Amino acid sequence: MSLSDKFESLSDNPVNSPFTREFEQFTREFGRFTREFEQFTREFGLFTREFALFTREFD
């Protein structure tokens, strides 16, 4: 199968192509990572504020 044949077969049915399925899986995993990272940054921000208040007591 030539490269042009492969491209045509993908363009005929892009929803069922292996690339599309892998890309959808990647976007789901990246979305999950993004949500976890946002949660981490919120918690780290809270920790930073609490630590700043804590260290002010020693000034």
Side-chain angles (χ1 to χ4, degrees):
M1 181 180 268
S2 72
L3 186 57
S4 62
D5 291 338
K6 289 180 182 179
F7 180 75
E8 286 177 17
S9 69
L10 289 177
S11 62
D12 288 343
N13 197 357
V15 174
N16 292 324
S17 75
F19 172 79
T20 302
R21 288 190 299 272
E22 289 179 22
F23 188 73
E24 288 172 345
Q25 178 66 27
F26 168 78
T27 54
R28 279 193 297 274
E29 291 175 9
F30 188 74
R32 191 174 308 120
F33 166 79
T34 303
R35 287 187 296 278
E36 290 175 5
F37 187 74
E38 288 172 344
Q39 179 65 30
F40 166 78
T41 55
R42 278 193 296 275
E43 291 174 6
F44 188 74
L46 292 173
F47 166 77
T48 303
R49 284 190 286 280
E50 291 294 322
F51 188 73
L53 291 173
F54 171 74
T55 56
R56 283 189 195 142
E57 294 177 14
F58 298 101
D59 282 345

